[in-house]
Each structure stands twice: as C-alpha cells, then as structure tokens.
Amino acid sequence: MIEFHHVQKTYRVSGRDVPALQSTDLRIEQGQVFGLIGHSGAGKSTLLRLINRLEEPSGGRIVIDGEDITALDADGLRRFRRQVGMIFQHFNLLSSKTVAANVAMPLELAGELGRAEIRQRVDELLSRVGLSGHADKYPAQLSGGQKQRVGIARALATRPKILLCDEATSALDPQTTAQVLQLLAEINRELGLTIVLITHEMDVIRRVCDQVAVMDDGRIVEQGPVARVFLHPQHGTTRRFVLEDEHIDESEQRDDFANVSGRILRLTFQGEATYAPLLGTVARETGVDYSILAGRIDRIKDTPYGQLTLALTGGDVESAIGRFRAADVHLEVLR
Ligand code: ADP
C-alpha cells in the first residue's frame, strides 16, 4: 500500500540545511497497523507527512497503492488526498462548527454528494465512532476522547484507504487512550484500512500495531513485527523504549541483581506457552529453586506474553537451563 524508495527530506531554515529524514526505504502492506516510534525530533512527523505529501520529499519516490505520488500535479494531488485521512494530537476541529459540520467538511469540499446524502453519511460516521446524539454539539462541549472521535469520523468521511495518526492519543489520559486505540483497531479490522501511527510510547505500539519501525536521528534503526521487536529489541533506542514501558531502570536492576546469588535468567513466553506450567515441572525434575526478581504478563495486540527474571539456586541448574532451552520459551542467561 505504501512504498518509500530512497526517500529523504531536508528542511532549509534561514539558509541552513536541516536533515530530517535520511534516505529511507519502507514498505507498508495493505490492512496493516504500522507504528513509528521515536523520541522528539527523530523524524516521525516528517515521514508521516510525506505519505500524503503534506511535506514534499527532497529526493526519492513514494508509491501509494501503485501510484507514484511524487509525480502528481495539483489536481491529481487533491484527488489522491481523499484516499488518505489524518488525525492529530490536538484534534484540529473547527470550534465555530458543530460536530456534524466538522465531519461533513471533507464531503462538502469533495463536492460529490448532495445535502441529504452528506447528512446520512455523517450520521453513519458518528454512529461508527460512538457519538450518535452529539451531532449538534460544539467541540468545546466535548471531552478530549470525544473530540478525537470526531477527528476520526472526519478522517473517515471520504472512505480513505489509509489513515495517518499523528500522536493521536498523546493528549489523552490512559483510559481514554485505551478506548481510542480500541476504536482504531476496530476500524482497521472492519474497514481493512491501512493505519500508520506515530507515537513516543511503546504502550501504544504494543496495543494496536502489527509492525513497528523505530526511528532515531532521521533513520529507521529497527523494524519488524511488534512481538519480535518488543520482546527481543536489538538497537539501543528500542531497548530504552521497552525498558521505559516496563518501568525498569537498568542501573537499579544491576544493583538489585548484585544482592542475589545463583544464575540469573530471563524467560520470555509467547502465546500458549504463557500459560504452560513449565516452571513447576522443571523445578521438580531438576531440584532447582527460583527467586522471582521481575515479572510481567501482558498482551501484544491479541497475543499474550510473559516475561520473568529468575535467580536459580540449588539442584541441577545446568540441566534446568537445558530444559528451558528445549521448551517453547526464549531464554537469556543474564548472569
Ligand atoms: P518527530 O516527529 O520525531 O518529533 P520531526 O519530523 O518533527 O520529528 O522533526 C525532525 C527534524 O526536522 C527535527 O530536527 C526538526 O527540528 C526538523 N523539522 C521538522 N519540521 C521542520 C520544519 N517545518 N522546518 C524546519 N525544520 C523542521
């Protein structure tokens, strides 16, 4: 659905070149929820805005659904943009217009539907995002989560193939964030829409994305299926995001480990293995004892996973490690 071929972007600010995106190749498949994560200034917004040419690339080619959009003229670009919806951190609603009028705006600009058809489509959209009955309110009368739902309804008005989300939940509290992400996941499933979202929170990636790309200093430094990148991060930037999400301070953890004896292992369970009674079986067979140093059971999108850091003492520790290696778990020996 989305292909970047050697795409790069340099801004020119008072006679100086500011590189924002280094030469980047990227492929996003149709129907995926694709997350871009990175710290502020990493180049996420630039990459996102290149997809609908809100930013012009300084070099390279961008192909969307088979069409080279870097070659489009103004007319072609207007038509193309109807296929790409966008939502924003601060919602970008018009405060002087009602909810219904905000959602109707892209349809009025497109000029293809009559008044009655627009009203019907707006009703459908508001019902889809759970806001039936709020049509005549003004943005100031809505909560943050409701405002973002209006933003989503407006973005979907022209039946786009792609939805771009620019830090769409960063201004919302955790519970509202979860509800808005759930709505995005439903829309992705039901409409088969391709979603590209940018965030600085690993939790957002973990909840809704299929694939993730980690950005640092204008480059994609790591990319892959969320479970792989999240559970086995390779790049330092990715590791920091994962630790942040788990509220782990690495130096504190090192101090904690210094006070325990035995071998230290981290086990990662995914899918069905998360619920298998492996620890008890291995303890009985090898006579080892465990102390649990850290642990978490959670979900990556729909897949359960568990991660446990254990200190092993007594018994036959080496054969316990062998048993874990042979089982359906990922094992790291930390000490
Ligand atoms: P992110 O979304 O990850 O915070 P951005 O894409 O906004 O990163 O920014 C990447 C780099 O490009 C930063 O150094 C930023 O200062 C610069 N930049 C972004 N937009 C502009 C602009 N319109 N003009 C000049 N520099 C910009």
Side-chain angles (χ1 to χ4, degrees):
M1 180 55 83
I2 301 170
E3 292 169 50
F4 274 39
H5 300 278
H6 310 303
V7 176
Q8 47 139 321
K9 174 71 185 179
T10 305
Y11 294 100
R12 190 126 185 107
V13 185
S14 37
R16 278 187 46 245
D17 282 344
V18 180
L21 186 69
Q22 300 180 32
S23 181
T24 296
D25 291 302
L26 180 67
R27 247 186 104 83
I28 301 178
E29 306 293 335
Q30 199 265 320
Q32 267 182 358
V33 184
F34 191 98
L36 281 165
I37 187 167
H39 292 113
S40 175
K44 306 180 296 294
S45 306
T46 300
L47 196 159
L48 194 77
R49 284 158 193 269
L50 284 164
I51 295 174
N52 60 356
R53 259 183 67 185
L54 277 183
E55 293 292 353
E56 292 291 336
S58 311
R61 260 177 357 110
I62 301 169
V63 179
I64 308 281
D65 202 15
E67 184 171 33
D68 183 348
I69 63 147
T70 25
L72 291 176
D73 60 13
D75 217 33
L77 192 58
R78 241 191 320 274
R79 248 177 297 118
F80 159 72
R81 285 218 177 110
R82 282 183 220 153
Q83 299 174 33
V84 187
M86 190 160 183
I87 58 174
F88 306 87
Q89 179 173 3
H90 297 295
F91 324 120
N92 294 14
L93 304 179
L94 283 183
S95 57
S96 61
K97 286 186 182 278
T98 63
V99 165
N102 267 284
V103 176
M105 222 159 45
L107 297 170
E108 281 161 2
L109 286 173
E112 284 170 358
L113 301 181
R115 276 176 87 122
E117 288 167 308
I118 289 181
R119 184 169 311 153
Q120 189 188 349
R121 176 95 185 110
V122 168
D123 283 349
E124 269 168 39
L125 286 159
L126 288 179
S127 144
R128 180 66 205 81
V129 300
L131 286 182
S132 298
H134 296 270
D136 297 327
K137 289 191 178 161
Y138 286 86
Q141 297 170 288
L142 303 178
S143 69
Q146 288 172 328
K147 283 182 201 164
Q148 195 55 289
R149 285 168 190 272
V150 178
I152 294 170
R154 181 183 56 186
L156 296 179
T158 54
R159 302 184 196 276
K161 296 177 191 160
I162 298 172
L163 178 63
L164 306 178
C165 309
D166 187 351
E167 295 276 5
T169 55
S170 298
L172 305 175
D173 62 62
Q175 197 186 348
T176 313
T177 292
Q179 289 163 356
V180 168
L181 292 177
Q182 194 185 342
L183 176 62
L184 290 177
E186 282 168 21
I187 286 166
N188 163 254
R189 248 192 335 267
E190 289 168 19
L191 308 179
L193 200 73
T194 305
I195 297 183
V196 186
L197 64 83
I198 64 178
T199 179
H200 58 277
E201 291 171 293
M202 204 63 186
D203 184 54
V204 169
I205 301 283
R206 196 164 53 77
R207 282 169 190 266
V208 282
C209 294
D210 303 302
Q211 294 273 323
V212 59
V214 183
M215 291 192 74
D216 194 13
D217 201 16
R219 285 182 311 127
I220 293 176
V221 294
E222 187 163 357
Q223 188 186 333
V226 174
R228 195 189 76 211
V229 172
F230 187 85
L231 295 175
H232 313 297
Q234 303 296 316
H235 193 273
T237 304
T238 319
R239 288 177 55 82
R240 279 191 291 278
F241 277 115
V242 171
L243 291 171
E244 223 170 80
D245 182 55
E246 293 174 357
H247 308 289
I248 290 175
D249 178 325
E250 261 184 317
S251 64
E252 262 177 32
Q253 194 176 50
R254 262 196 303 276
D255 293 345
D256 291 347
F257 290 180
N259 297 325
V260 294
S261 56
R263 300 292 294 276
I264 298 182
L265 313 181
R266 179 157 56 218
L267 302 177
T268 304
F269 307 80
Q270 238 179 293
E272 291 302 308
T274 309
Y275 305 120
L278 180 68
L279 294 181
T281 312
V282 172
R284 274 195 302 280
E285 288 175 8
T286 63
V288 295
D289 278 325
Y290 307 115
S291 313
I292 297 176
L293 306 179
R296 167 174 190 160
I297 293 176
D298 216 320
R299 280 176 176 272
I300 294 173
K301 206 166 184 183
D302 306 318
T303 309
Y305 75 94
Q307 220 159 27
L308 274 180
T309 306
L310 304 172
L312 267 60
T313 48
D316 185 351
V317 170
E318 290 313 314
S319 86
I321 290 176
R323 283 282 282 113
F324 288 134
R325 283 199 202 283
D328 196 11
V329 298
H330 180 84
L331 172 79
E332 288 163 272
V333 179
L334 304 183
R335 188 183 76 195

